[in-house]
Amino acid sequence: MRKLEDVAFADDVSLFSRMVGHMQANTTRLCNIARTAGLEITVTKTKSMRISTSHEAPLTVDGQAIEEVHRFTYLGSNVSKTGGTV
């Protein structure tokens, strides 16, 4: 069975992981790959959402903490910790 690990559309990317360590590794890898193409991740526009975890250390981009949110809009859909998408 294949697992969805990311969704990309134009300049919007969503990363998914079951483990916080993997999410930080994926975030770091995305930053490094983007940089080779001349792109930068804007930390102030980057958000993180955790579901069913007690891990509280923030995800980071180049040592800067990514804001943790309880809901966000992705490609016109509202995604939330409590109800999936609308």
Side-chain angles (χ1 to χ4, degrees), residues 20-40:
V20 173
H22 290 165
M23 183 56 88
Q24 182 61 64
N26 289 342
T27 302
T28 300
R29 189 173 327 121
L30 175 65
C31 289
N32 291 337
I33 291 169
R35 204 167 276 131
T36 64
L39 302 172
E40 292 289 327

Side-chain angles (χ1 to χ4, degrees), residues 6-14 30 34 37 39-41 74-75:
D6 66 81
V7 176
F9 180 80
D11 64 347
D12 291 323
V13 176
S14 288
L30 175 65
L39 302 172
E40 292 289 327
I41 305 297
Y74 182 73
L75 300 178

